[in-house]
């Protein structure tokens, strides 16, 4: 089979639109949810193997050889079971669901034919797209890992991780989650020709050009029907929501994410 070609991104970064384009262009993504286009098989709520893989693979690059081999075997079995149960042809396949960002290196090491698409969106806009599955359920160790890069966190900004403080610090928590996820995803750069970084904003302004680049990277023909759908479905209207915030509301989030926004040329 050709792949896997997973879409890796922090939630609310444009992965839904990319997944829909993949499906329309003949890339099998398994059974996906109607609204978010998340691949159900890889849900941390229902697939304990995926959940444990994420928790144990976060520090994969620092593991010794035996530990890496164990994680690769778990990844191999997990993906092959997905293929056997949900992929109905021998063509290209992938999946999309944001927690699997944290197994990117394991997947790329396990499958020599794998290629990763990393979608990045301006953290200020991502911050305003509330990700309740992570922040509202921050007690879950996987969610703590995705937000902070650690599971042993009980406080943030000097306040306990309780509902009243989570609500007050929501922008800061969302920005922290963006930083943790994007910085982890950037590790894919070490895989050179098997990692492609794509900005959501570039897709919105130039969907045909950017998807031509994506499908050339995956060595998958860009179908005319997919091009026509993109022309109608994609627009830049959701870019720059953060511009309506007062400067004071951006002060602390920028202290958390400003270095990465600048690195990515958003500032």
């Amino acid at each position: 089979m050709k792949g896997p070609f997973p879409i890796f991104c922090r939630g609310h970064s444009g992965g839904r639109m990319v997944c829909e384009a993949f499906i329309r262009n003949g890339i099998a993504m398994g059974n996906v949810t109607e609204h978010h286009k998340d691949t159900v098989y890889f849900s941390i709520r229902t697939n304990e193997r995926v959940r444990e893989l994420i928790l144990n693979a976060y520090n994969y690059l620092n593991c010794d050889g035996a530990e890496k081999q164990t994680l690769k075997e778990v990844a191999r079995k997990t993906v092959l079971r997905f293929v056997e149960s949900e992929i109905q042809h021998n063509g290209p396949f992938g999946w999309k669901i944001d927690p699997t960002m944290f197994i990117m290196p394991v997947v790329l090491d396990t499958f020599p034919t794998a290629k990763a698409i990393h979608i990045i969106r301006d953290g200020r806009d991502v911050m305003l797209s509330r990700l309740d599955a992570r922040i509202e359920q921050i007690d879950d160790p996987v969610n703590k890992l995705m937000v902070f890069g650690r599971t042993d966190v009980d406080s943030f900004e000097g306040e306990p991780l309780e509902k009243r403080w989570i609500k007050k610090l929501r922008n800061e928590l969302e920005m922290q989650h963006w930083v943790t996820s994007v910085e982890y995803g950037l590790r894919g750069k070490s895989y050179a020709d098997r990692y492609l970084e794509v900005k959501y904003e570039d897709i919105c302004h130039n969907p045909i050009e950017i998807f031509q680049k994506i499908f050339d990277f995956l060595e998958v023909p860009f179908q005319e029907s997919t091009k026509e759908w993109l022309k109608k479905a994609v627009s830049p209207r959701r870019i720059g929501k953060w511009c309506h915030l007062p400067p004071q509301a951006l002060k602390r989030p920028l202290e958390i994410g400003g270095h990465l926004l600048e690195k990515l040329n958003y500032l």
Side-chain angles (χ1 to χ4, degrees), residues 66-207:
E67 291 173 317
K68 284 185 175 180
Q69 192 56 43
T70 298
L71 289 168
K72 286 166 65 176
E73 184 61 18
V74 174
R76 186 186 68 82
K77 290 179 178 178
T78 302
V79 174
L80 291 182
R81 186 169 296 177
F82 168 60
V83 170
E84 291 168 1
S85 62
E86 297 194 20
I87 307 303
Q88 305 300 318
H89 61 72
N90 291 324
F93 77 100
W95 66 84
K96 176 259 174 185
I97 190 165
D98 61 291
T100 60
M101 164 71 79
F102 301 100
I103 63 171
M104 182 198 294
V106 186
V107 171
L108 292 174
D109 277 354
T110 303
F111 298 95
T113 58
K115 292 184 177 181
I117 305 296
H118 182 197
I119 311 298
I120 298 176
R121 184 181 181 186
D122 188 328
R124 294 165 295 185
D125 278 342
V126 174
M127 175 186 77
L128 297 177
S129 298
R130 300 312 200 198
L131 197 55
D132 292 339
R134 303 291 161 256
I135 308 302
E136 293 287 339
Q137 301 174 41
I138 199 69
D139 286 341
D140 186 319
V142 175
N143 288 338
K144 283 187 178 182
L145 186 71
M146 288 191 285
V147 174
F148 303 110
R150 297 163 45 200
T151 59
D152 60 346
V153 178
D154 295 313
S155 64
F156 179 69
E157 300 282 278
E159 304 294 350
L161 289 175
E162 299 172 352
K163 275 197 171 181
R164 61 184 178 131
W165 294 113
I166 286 173
K167 184 176 180 179
K168 181 179 179 181
L169 298 170
R170 190 58 185 265
N171 284 347
E172 289 86 345
L173 282 163
E174 296 281 3
M175 181 62 81
Q176 181 61 56
H177 181 17
W178 177 79
V179 169
T180 300
S181 182
V182 173
E183 286 187 337
Y184 191 94
L186 291 175
R187 299 180 186 187
K189 288 179 178 291
S190 64
Y191 290 86
D193 59 349
R194 296 201 293 133
Y195 166 89
L196 182 66
E197 186 179 303
V198 180
K199 286 188 175 176
Y200 170 80
E201 293 80 11
D202 291 341
I203 294 175
C204 291
H205 287 296
N206 300 292

Side-chain angles (χ1 to χ4, degrees), residues 15-38:
R16 173 175 54 182
M17 174 256 292
V18 176
C19 183
E20 179 67 27
F22 274 29
I23 293 169
R24 289 174 178 270
N25 208 64
I27 299 176
M29 303 296 281
N31 177 28
V32 300
T33 60
E34 182 177 358
H35 182 63
H36 295 291
K37 299 298 175 183
D38 285 337

